[in-house]
Amino acid sequence: MLEKLIRSGKIKEHFFMKRKDTPRNELESPESAIPSSGSAAVPEREDNGLFLLEDGKLRPFSLEEYTAATLYEVVESFGVECKLVRPEDPGNVLFEGKRPSRKTVPIFIKKDGDCALVASWETVEANPEQLAEVREVLGAIPVRQAFVLRRK
């Protein structure tokens, strides 16, 4: 019945992001978007909240490793929700509550478990229909790994 209403144009799906109220290093809950290590293609969340984009796949980064590549530190998290609205209702509201920081880049955690790094929040705003396949959006800041030598 719902599919018939959507196809007929009497209602439409509107996807929006809702900020999760969680502490910085505890963005993921057990029932969250990034499943545990049961799936080999899905990254497992570590306490440090750092991810490495390698061969187009996002994976957790351990502080014992070394890389010259850019790392992504998760600082905010958004759940993706769907509302059914009338066609005449505005569909340009993408964020509920506080907007994400423009210093962060969005990382999509898709329903199938894949992760994708998106170029910018403007890209998400320009194509909100891409949220239909997304379970969660993480806001991450690009960081570099650095080593410091200290005199003893």
Side-chain angles (χ1 to χ4, degrees):
M1 181 70 158
L2 180 62
E3 289 179 24
K4 285 183 182 179
L5 287 171
I6 292 172
R7 275 189 262 135
S8 71
K10 293 182 180 181
I11 62 171
K12 66 179 182 176
E13 291 179 308
H14 173 71
F15 294 91
F16 67 98
M17 297 185 331
K18 185 175 183 179
R19 183 179 291 274
K20 292 183 175 184
D21 295 326
T22 54
R24 181 178 177 152
N25 286 332
E26 298 175 13
L27 292 173
E28 299 299 321
S29 61
E31 65 277 358
S32 72
I34 300 178
S36 65
S37 59
S39 172
V42 179
E44 183 178 303
R45 183 64 187 264
E46 292 188 356
D47 291 338
N48 60 20
L50 293 174
F51 289 93
L52 173 65
L53 188 64
E54 186 175 67
D55 299 327
K57 297 286 184 184
L58 205 59
R59 70 170 183 86
F61 183 76
S62 173
L63 293 178
E64 288 78 35
E65 296 180 66
Y66 172 77
T67 185
T70 302
L71 299 172
Y72 295 92
E73 180 182 8
V74 176
V75 294
E76 54 192 356
S77 177
F78 299 88
V80 176
E81 296 183 14
C82 177
K83 285 184 184 177
L84 298 175
V85 298
R86 294 189 174 117
E88 61 271 8
D89 291 343
N92 59 354
V93 179
L94 185 62
F95 304 104
E96 183 176 288
K98 186 179 174 188
R99 297 177 62 88
S101 169
R102 294 294 175 184
K103 295 179 182 177
T104 62
V105 293
I107 296 174
F108 286 171
I109 308 299
K110 297 183 180 180
K111 291 178 181 176
D112 62 3
D114 287 339
C115 302
L117 183 66
V118 182
S120 68
W121 291 106
E122 288 81 15
T123 305
V124 177
E125 290 175 8
N127 301 310
E129 63 276 358
Q130 62 188 337
L131 291 175
E133 298 299 319
V134 175
R135 188 179 352 193
E136 183 176 17
V137 180
L138 302 176
I141 53 173
V143 295
R144 286 245 185 231
Q145 184 178 22
F147 293 93
V148 178
L149 299 175
R150 292 188 182 169
R151 187 178 298 264
K152 286 190 172 188

